[in-house]
């Protein structure tokens, strides 16, 4: 660490930390205004049925077209949004926008089951989340089955009473739920899988990347697929980039795939702020 080094390095390290702090404060300030200024964009990535090739759903992935920094990945600003509480208005914008978009697609006759929306743990703690979703569905005259919510494994694995209540309420409403990034979180405790009403497991892309040659990845992937099916859930593989990966997943009876193989995100620079991307 820098502190244990000589004086000049310490200074340098401190300067770096200060610059990082300034960057974060500025970004937070900008993010606060980004929603109202229409700088956020959703990119929808298709989810495809492996056996039939049919489109099932599309995951809404948020991007930020920053006035000076250009397009930013959610990996950069979602953590900031979570720490600052801005994830709440941001998440509301994503939900509303997703409802509006799928309504448009349905009206145009596109055969699409749902839009999958990523939900942060902070949003799940909001007492009015259910009411909010109901309002968006009502205002867009949308059936609940057209929305799927993705929650990460680390949030689910806390096995909290409030999480169970929320999931039960969502199920009653007819909203499906997927566990995102499955296999990377708290896999030492899988008991929540049998307690919580969940529709879909999403196998994290880190297991898909090295398929089919890496034996460990192959074993974990096959295991997750079998586990999900035994528990009556569907499985989506995330980050599928190649045909050999797809072939392996098909052979292992995986239900759906999502990834660059079927849809590469457009180059970020070519997007216009506020624009909505239509699935090709
Ligand atoms: P995620 O929900 O697991 O989303 C999948 C990520 O994998 C996306 O990154 C997607 O662009 C990327 N991806 C898709 N296909 C491939 C592929 O074939 N290869 C590789 N290497 N990557 C692929 P993205 O869009 O950068 O999003 C990163 C994460 O940010 C998401 O992970 C999600 O956790 C979070 N996020 C995105 N949008 C939202 C949002 O609206 N709300 C919240 N709370 N989080 C969001
Ligand atoms: Mg996701
Ligand atoms: Mg994921
Ligand atoms: Mg992820």
């Amino acid at each position: 660490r820098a502190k244990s080094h000589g004086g000049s390095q310490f200074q340098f390290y401190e300067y770096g930390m200060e610059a990082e702090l300034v960057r974060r404060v500025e970004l937070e300030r900008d993010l606060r205004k980004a929603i109202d200024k229409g700088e956020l964009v959703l990119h929808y990535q298709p989810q495809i049925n492996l056996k039939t090739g049919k489109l099932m759903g599309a995951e809404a992935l948020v991007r930020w077209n920053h006035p000076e920094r250009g397009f930013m990945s959610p990996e950069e600003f979602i953590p900031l949004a979570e720490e600052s509480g801005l994830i709440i208005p941001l998440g509301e914008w994503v939900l509303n926008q997703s409802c509006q978009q799928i309504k448009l697609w349905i009206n145009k006759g596109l055969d699409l089951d749902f839009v999958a929306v990523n939900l942060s743990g902070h949003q799940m703690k909001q007492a009015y989340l259910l009411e909010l979703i109901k309002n968006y569905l009502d205002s867009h005259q949308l059936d609940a089955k057209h929305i799927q919510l993705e929650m990460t494994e680390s949030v689910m694995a806390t096995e909290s009473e409030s999480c169970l209540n929320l999931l039960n309420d969502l199920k009653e409403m007819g909203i499906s739920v997927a566990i995102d990034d499955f296999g990377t979180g708290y896999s030492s405790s899988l008991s929540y899988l049998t307690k919580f009403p969940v529709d879909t497991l999403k196998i994290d892309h880190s297991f898909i990347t090295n398929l089919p040659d890496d034996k460990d990845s192959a074993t974990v992937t096959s295991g997750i697929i079998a586990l999900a099916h035994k528990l009556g859930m569907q499985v989506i593989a995330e980050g599928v980039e190649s045909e050999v990966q797809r072939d392996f997943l098909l052979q292992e009876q995986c239900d759906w795939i999502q990834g660059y193989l079927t849809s590469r995100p457009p180059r970020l620079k070519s997007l216009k702020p506020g624009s909505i991307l239509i699935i090709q």
Side-chain angles (χ1 to χ4, degrees):
R1 302 196 107 226
K3 262 191 179 175
S4 60
H5 291 293
S8 62
Q9 280 192 21
F10 181 65
Q11 292 269 316
F12 177 73
Y13 192 62
E14 257 202 337
Y15 173 77
M17 279 169 58
E18 204 178 284
E20 173 58 23
L21 201 67
V22 168
R23 190 183 114 90
R24 286 180 51 130
V25 169
E26 282 177 356
L27 271 185
E28 189 182 319
R29 177 202 63 197
D30 295 347
L31 187 56
R32 215 169 272 283
K33 300 181 217 148
I35 302 172
D36 292 335
K37 286 166 74 185
E39 291 170 6
L40 297 182
V41 184
L42 291 181
H43 169 216
Y44 298 90
Q45 187 176 44
Q47 301 173 334
I48 307 290
N49 184 304
L50 251 175
K51 292 198 184 92
T52 63
K54 188 182 169 294
L55 179 69
M56 168 182 65
E59 179 175 5
L61 295 160
V62 68
R63 279 94 183 82
W64 177 14
N65 186 21
H66 189 283
E68 285 127 41
R69 297 170 204 266
F71 272 95
M72 285 174 65
S73 137
E75 312 245 282
E76 254 185 288
F77 63 88
I78 291 290
L80 186 76
E82 286 177 334
E83 283 159 33
S84 61
L86 289 171
I87 191 69
I88 298 299
L90 188 153
E92 290 175 6
W93 180 84
V94 171
L95 269 167
N96 187 38
Q97 196 70 27
S98 299
C99 288
Q100 184 182 323
Q101 182 58 60
I102 190 161
K103 185 68 186 184
L104 281 172
W105 280 329
I106 291 168
N107 284 348
K108 280 189 180 162
L110 193 69
D111 191 11
L112 187 79
D113 290 350
F114 58 78
V115 167
V117 177
N118 290 285
L119 211 63
S120 154
H122 295 74
Q123 288 174 278
M124 289 170 66
K125 291 195 194 93
Q126 296 285 302
Y128 62 86
L129 177 68
L130 227 69
E131 206 57 40
L132 190 85
I133 296 173
K134 274 186 196 142
N135 285 343
Y136 289 147
L137 292 173
D138 283 351
S139 71
H140 296 289
Q141 295 174 301
L142 201 60
D143 197 289
K145 69 178 183 206
H146 293 308
I147 293 294
Q148 178 165 93
L149 295 178
E150 295 193 4
M151 308 171 186
T152 60
E153 192 186 8
S154 50
V155 170
M156 307 283 272
T158 56
E159 286 189 56
S160 67
E161 189 80 17
S162 57
C163 186
L164 179 61
N165 288 338
L166 175 65
L167 291 172
N168 281 330
D169 289 345
L170 289 171
K171 184 162 189 82
E172 203 172 302
M173 264 175 80
I175 291 183
S176 59
V177 170
I179 304 182
D180 205 352
D181 303 345
F182 187 76
T184 60
Y186 289 63
S187 300
S188 55
S189 165
L190 289 173
S191 53
Y192 73 94
L193 283 180
T194 59
K195 290 180 191 149
F196 289 174
V198 171
D199 304 275
T200 304
L201 284 190
K202 298 192 76 174
I203 307 175
D204 191 69
H205 63 83
S206 58
F207 300 111
I208 309 301
T209 305
N210 299 316
L211 289 180
D213 298 332
D214 181 64
K215 287 278 168 292
D216 291 342
S217 299
T219 305
V220 171
T221 300
S222 313
I224 293 175
I225 295 169
L227 174 75
H229 287 160
K230 279 240 161 66
L231 294 172
M233 299 178 202
Q234 307 252 339
V235 196
I236 306 181
E238 289 195 288
V240 179
E241 295 182 355
S242 71
E243 305 205 334
V244 285
Q245 291 167 352
R246 184 197 54 199
D247 293 345
F248 176 85
L249 291 162
L250 182 62
Q251 176 199 308
E252 295 301 310
Q253 315 279 324
C254 183
D255 303 295
W256 317 94
I257 54 168
Q258 187 183 337
Y260 297 166
L261 178 67
T262 44
S263 169
R264 250 196 181 281
R267 271 187 300 143
L268 290 176
K269 287 212 169 67
S270 67
L271 299 181
K272 287 201 195 77
S275 68
I276 288 168
L277 290 149
I278 309 292
I279 298 167
Q280 285 109 14

